[in-house]
Structure formats: C-alpha cells, structure tokens
Amino acid sequence: GENVEQHPSTLSVQEGDSAVIKCTYSDSASNYFPWYKQELGKGPQLIIDIRSNVGEKKDQRIAVTLNKTAKHFSLHITETQPEDSAVYFCAVPANQAGTALIFGKGTTLSVSS
Amino acid sequence: DAGVIQSPRHEVTEMGQEVTLRCKPISGHNSLFWYRQTMMRGLELLIYFNNNVPIDDSGMPEDRFSAKMPNASFSTLKIQPSEPRDSAVYFCASRTGRTNYGYTFGSGTRLTVV
C-alpha cells in the first residue's frame, strides 16, 4: 500500500521568514496531494491541494509544489505570521481508487514574533 | 453549513465500559471517514463508508471496535469493552462522492479511558 513520510517533525521560524515542509510518497500512481492545518483542539482543515497534472499551486502566502519524478511534494509558507503556528499534515490517497487518505506524521510549526 | 458535527467533545470512561461516539456529516456528502489520532501513531484511518456502506474496515484495531452508518446523516463508532490504550482523539470526516477531493473534519472526540 501507499506510504508517506513527512519532514521535518518540528520547525521553528521567525515571523516574516519562509517555512518549507516536505513529504515523500511511494506509489507513483498517486495523483492527489492535499495539505491540512490543525490548530490546538480542532480538527485538521484543508488549506491547499494539488493534482498531478500541475507542478505548482499558490494561494496567497501558501504554495504547494509537486515533483512526480522524485515522488515528493512540499508546502511553502512565505512571510510567516504567529497565526501560522500549528501542526501541518500532508496526505496521499491510500490506493488508486482514491477514496481514503493516509496522512503524514505531521510537522509542528512555531512562528515567533 | 454547520460542518461535520461530532459528539461528545470529551468522554471519560472506566475500563470495560461501552463507549459510543457520534458523527453527523455535511449534508450531501456521500463518504464518511473515522480516524484516530495519537501522539505515537498520528492520524490512523479506522473505517470509511460510501453511501452508508462500509467499504474498508481494515484499520479497525480489534473486534472491540464497530461502526455503523444507518443513514446518510448519522454514524456511530462504538468501543466495547473500552481499554486505556483506546485513549485518543477520534475524528470523523466527510466528503462528496468524488474521489481525490479533500475532507472536512469534525472537531473530534477526546476519549480518556481510566
């Protein structure tokens, strides 16, 4: 089955710096790559996703890039703010049917002002 | 849209007791997922339903766990008997029937078994 690894597990940046989180996956047939943000006491929330027919997608200060050859995708946050502090998860479809997602172990991002 | 609604938010129970967690998905969403979150194992998929039918329950840890979806607007996850190692946050999520689209998660139920 599919496997996903996420790095780093923790990331500390100064306000205004950029943050990058990377995930690698094993199934070359995977074609959907979402990122979720989880704040304390809440459920994960979808913040951005990308499909395999594009290499990059941006939404204001966040972007996701995809390298299908190398089987990895990354979340980029620019001009970080304290409210970006949270746990971020990547996910990939568990199988080619694409119904269920499996999640990386998460990255705890801390933005200090 | 009220989102995915889970109840209770917190549950403390004694070992051996039956626990029932509840979920109301977003109206119109055809797929429903139950996940368990712990520090050690992260977010684990337990079971999911399409159009109220269980599709894959291979993530259910033991026979003590069972899940039902009697209609499109309600699902339960039951643990009987509960054990301290079941302590975790349990999330329900729903999605439209289209594959390769993101979920909407509920706020979770924090279960503590003492």
Side-chain angles (χ1 to χ4, degrees):
Chain A
E2 177 63 284
N3 184 43
V4 58
E5 293 190 2
Q6 183 172 344
H7 298 281
S9 57
T10 60
L11 181 58
S12 296
V13 300
Q14 292 286 321
E15 183 178 1
D17 288 350
S18 295
V20 181
I21 304 168
K22 181 177 176 179
C23 282
T24 59
Y25 59 97
S26 58
D27 187 352
S28 58
S30 290
N31 56 7
Y32 176 63
F33 308 92
W35 285 92
Y36 286 78
K37 176 183 180 181
Q38 186 177 24
E39 297 176 329
L40 199 61
K42 298 183 179 181
Q45 180 183 13
L46 179 67
I47 56 172
I48 195 167
D49 57 11
I50 193 169
R51 291 174 179 79
S52 58
N53 56 341
V54 297
E56 182 177 8
K57 183 177 179 181
K58 289 184 179 179
D59 183 2
Q60 299 182 343
R61 295 186 299 106
I62 63 173
V64 55
T65 58
L66 172 64
N67 184 328
K68 286 220 74 180
T69 302
K71 292 190 284 188
H72 65 71
F73 59 110
S74 299
L75 177 69
H76 304 255
I77 306 174
T78 59
E79 300 174 24
T80 54
Q81 301 170 2
E83 52 264 39
D84 294 329
S85 297
V87 181
Y88 292 82
F89 295 92
C90 63
V92 295
N95 53 47
Q96 293 190 25
T99 305
L101 297 173
I102 59 171
F103 287 81
K105 290 294 176 63
T107 297
T108 301
L109 174 63
S110 300
V111 181
S112 55
S113 55
Chain B
D1 182 1
V4 176
I5 300 173
Q6 291 188 245
S7 65
R9 287 298 311 274
H10 303 274
E11 177 80 39
V12 180
T13 191
E14 292 186 348
M15 181 175 62
Q17 296 297 308
E18 177 180 294
V19 176
T20 299
L21 312 182
R22 298 173 174 79
C23 176
K24 176 179 170 56
I26 292 173
S27 177
H29 280 191
N30 298 332
S31 298
L32 183 140
F33 308 83
W34 283 100
Y35 282 82
R36 178 171 67 177
Q37 185 176 40
T38 61
M39 288 294 292
M40 290 298 294
R41 301 174 70 91
L43 275 163
E44 298 176 276
L45 176 66
L46 299 177
I47 185 172
Y48 70 92
F49 297 82
N50 280 349
N51 297 314
N52 314 336
V53 176
I55 302 301
D56 184 354
D57 65 354
S58 60
M60 297 285 260
E62 300 171 31
D63 291 344
R64 299 184 295 106
F65 286 69
S66 62
K68 294 182 180 180
M69 192 165 185
N71 57 61
S73 59
F74 184 65
S75 177
T76 59
L77 178 67
K78 184 177 294 186
I79 308 172
Q80 165 65 18
S82 57
E83 297 183 1
R85 57 194 170 120
D86 302 330
S87 298
V89 181
Y90 291 80
F91 287 103
C92 173
S94 71
R95 191 197 62 199
T96 69
R98 302 175 70 180
T99 59
N100 292 332
Y101 277 78
Y103 303 162
T104 300
F105 278 86
S107 297
T109 295
R110 179 174 294 277
L111 173 65
T112 303
V113 183
V114 298

